[in-house]
Amino acid sequence: MLNKTQQQKLLLLASKASECAYAPYSKFRVGAVVLFDDGSTYKGCNVENASYGLSICAERNAISTAVADGKNSGIVAVAISSPDSKLCYPCGACRQWISEFSKDAMIIVENEDRTPLVHTILELLPHTFRL
Ligand code: THU
């Protein structure tokens, strides 16, 4: 379990990542940070495309970056932040992606007052699809 300071630190990193968002179509910027059990973190932002369906969410961008760096297990937490919305929860596709790599990851979003709000991935996606 991460303490409040650690949760806030992750949200700050996610907020910084959102500054790189490429979101000219929705104008909705998102940043995400994935924390692993060895302390390493990987960030991502949403990257949109003129062909809207090709856009990628911040969470999946961060996870892809981690996997490309050889990290596909040991996710402790995923923090998500948007300057355009509080309580920026991961979409269904991103919940499924997070579930692929962790059964008990903490999902940290920002409350109305910007304080951390923590869930588990199982709370957000019960009865996860698995092969
Ligand atoms: N978005 C994310 O980055 N993460 C989510 O979990 C939900 C949605 C992005 C996708 C798109 O670029 C923008 O937010 C508006 O849907």
Side-chain angles (χ1 to χ4, degrees):
M1 185 67 184
L2 301 174
N3 65 36
K4 278 274 173 276
T5 309
Q6 292 167 313
Q7 293 167 14
Q8 268 157 349
K9 203 175 143 196
L10 284 179
L11 281 175
L12 186 65
L13 290 174
S15 167
K16 285 217 168 81
S18 75
E19 290 170 15
C20 296
Y22 178 74
Y25 305 106
S26 72
K27 312 250 189 276
F28 190 91
R29 296 158 292 173
V30 185
V33 165
V34 184
L35 170 70
F36 285 84
D37 53 9
D38 63 358
S40 59
T41 55
Y42 291 84
K43 63 180 178 172
C45 59
N46 54 332
V47 181
E48 296 184 346
N49 191 275
S51 177
Y52 294 173
L54 301 183
S55 302
I56 185 164
C57 292
E59 299 90 321
R60 280 179 283 151
N61 193 354
I63 292 171
S64 297
T65 302
V67 172
D69 199 36
K71 314 274 303 196
N72 60 24
S73 65
I75 290 182
V76 172
V78 180
I80 305 146
S81 171
S82 170
D84 303 312
S85 167
K86 288 148 198 159
L87 290 171
C88 184
Y89 280 101
C91 73
C94 289
R95 292 177 195 205
Q96 180 67 30
W97 257 61
I98 294 164
S99 296
E100 176 77 23
F101 298 105
S102 172
K103 291 183 173 69
D104 53 9
M106 275 183 260
I107 308 299
I108 307 168
V109 296
E110 282 174 314
N111 227 325
E112 301 289 341
D113 59 1
R114 294 282 177 203
T115 56
L117 183 60
V118 183
H119 296 273
T120 64
I121 186 60
L122 204 57
E123 270 181 84
L124 298 187
L125 188 67
H127 311 293
T128 312
F129 173 76
R130 293 189 199 285
L131 287 176

